Amino acid sequence: VHDSCENSYGWMSVFFMISYLLAFGIGMGGLPWTICSEIFPIHHRALAVSFSTATNWMGNMIVSATFLTISSPAVLTSYGAFWLYATVSLYGIIWLYFSLPETKGLSLEEIEDLFKRPGD
């Protein structure tokens, strides 16, 4: 069984995938859930977090369902698919940088005031 793999560096892909998942889970993995629990008013929080969770999973489903088609040689190739997803992520990071206020050290009531619109 161990002699059937011709690539002696195949273990590296598994190692780095596990390392990435571990680092992501410890670091940035919980950030969206923390932000969602802070930005919604208490009286709407349960429904709003359930909508944002559903949106997150729908986005995961769309990426999973379209990746093989997008990465085919007839469309964008695998390099093009990753560049497409990287570009969308970069635009999202830039948008968040300018639109998401810092909430460090603020109470939930102060955070709620940050997201109120005039007339709320």
Side-chain angles (χ1 to χ4, degrees):
V1 172
H2 297 291
D3 296 331
S4 64
C5 184
E6 296 177 16
N7 185 351
S8 61
Y9 297 107
W11 64 271
M12 290 177 68
S13 61
V14 174
F15 173 77
F16 285 113
M17 181 182 65
I18 291 171
S19 298
Y20 164 76
L21 291 172
L22 181 65
F24 180 77
I26 292 172
M28 298 296 288
L31 191 60
W33 310 113
T34 303
I35 291 172
C36 283
S37 68
E38 290 180 345
I39 65 173
F40 299 118
I42 291 176
H43 55 281
H44 296 298
R45 186 165 296 154
L47 184 62
V49 170
S50 66
F51 279 134
S52 64
T53 302
T55 304
N56 180 18
W57 282 107
M58 281 189 272
N60 289 337
M61 184 192 72
I62 290 169
V63 169
S64 299
T66 61
F67 177 74
L68 290 177
T69 303
I70 290 174
S71 65
S72 68
V75 182
L76 286 179
T77 73
S78 59
Y79 295 110
F82 282 106
W83 277 110
L84 172 69
Y85 294 136
T87 303
V88 170
S89 296
L90 180 63
Y91 283 132
I93 289 169
I94 292 169
W95 178 76
L96 280 176
Y97 179 79
F98 289 108
S99 66
L100 186 65
E102 177 61 57
T103 59
K104 181 178 180 183
L106 299 176
S107 69
L108 288 176
E109 291 78 17
E110 292 170 326
I111 293 170
E112 186 175 332
D113 290 338
L114 285 174
F115 292 99
K116 281 187 179 176
R117 295 181 182 165
D120 281 352

